[in-house]
């Protein structure tokens, strides 16, 4: 199993950072993927528990992620639910206010892969992409 963790401080308040990153289509700022919403949340909210997004990266087959926990302005947890060579994939975004303003994100992802070594390559690419993409949130949120 691979585990990556990225900590990032935003200038925008928690409400804006959360709202931006909760919106499925906005995750394309972090990942080199075409992201399409497939289903709204089971609780009647757009990005709530049970909402599903499809990610398509280059020529690879698409896969789906489903939100499993959503606490507004605090927490988003999700997992891959269809179509991936990754196993046990779980993502977790924890949002907190920073003293003096702004917000903090702790983003953790853990997973394994069916092909030995693939998880190591994907972990490096994910960590790099997330670190490169998070500064965009302050501009776009």
């Amino acid at each position: 199993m691979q585990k990556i963790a990225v900590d990032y401080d935003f200038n925008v308040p928690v409400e804006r950072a959360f709202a931006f990153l909760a919106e499925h289509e906005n995750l394309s700022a972090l990942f080199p993927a075409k992201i399409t919403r497939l289903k709204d949340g089971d609780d009647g909210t757009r990005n709530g528990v049970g909402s599903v997004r499809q990610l398509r990266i280059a020529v690879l087959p698409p896969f789906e992620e489903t939100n499993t926990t959503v606490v507004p302005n605090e927490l988003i947890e999700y997992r891959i639910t269809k179509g991936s060579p990754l196993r046990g994939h779980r993502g977790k975004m924890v949002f907190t206010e920073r003293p003096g303003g702004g917000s903090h994100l702790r983003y953790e992802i853990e997973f394994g892969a069916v092909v030995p070594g693939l998880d190591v390559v994907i972990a490096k690419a994910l960590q790099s992409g997330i670190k490169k993409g998070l500064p965009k949130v302050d501009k776009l949120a």
Side-chain angles (χ1 to χ4, degrees):
M1 290 289 281
Q2 293 292 312
K3 182 174 182 177
I4 65 167
V6 175
D7 286 287
Y8 191 82
D9 290 328
F10 299 111
N11 294 320
V12 297
V14 168
E15 296 80 13
R16 286 180 46 198
F18 181 91
F20 183 82
L21 291 171
E23 196 66 39
H24 294 313
E25 294 82 0
N26 291 344
L27 293 175
S28 62
L30 304 183
F31 305 109
K34 179 181 179 197
I35 301 174
T36 306
R37 171 184 306 280
L38 298 180
K39 179 179 176 281
D40 287 348
D42 295 332
D43 59 359
T45 64
R46 188 169 158 81
N47 302 304
V49 172
S51 62
V52 180
R53 61 186 164 258
Q54 179 187 71
L55 289 83
R56 187 178 297 272
I57 301 171
V59 297
L60 299 174
F63 61 95
E64 295 177 12
E65 294 179 341
T66 302
N67 282 352
T68 57
T69 306
V70 178
V71 179
N73 302 322
E74 293 179 23
L75 174 68
I76 300 170
E77 292 181 315
Y78 64 90
R79 63 186 180 90
I80 291 179
T81 50
K82 185 177 179 184
S84 173
L86 302 180
R87 296 294 177 251
H89 180 282
R90 182 187 68 79
K92 181 178 182 178
M93 295 183 202
V94 179
F95 299 82
T96 53
E97 290 184 26
R98 284 186 14 225
S103 53
H104 179 80
L105 171 67
R106 170 78 173 181
Y107 193 172
E108 299 176 357
I109 302 174
E110 60 184 34
F111 58 90
V114 294
V115 177
L118 179 62
D119 55 345
V120 174
V121 172
I122 291 174
K124 288 179 183 177
L126 278 174
Q127 183 125 9
S128 174
I130 291 169
K131 284 182 177 180
K132 185 177 181 180
L134 285 174
K136 298 175 189 174
V137 174
D138 274 321
K139 296 174 189 167
L140 300 172

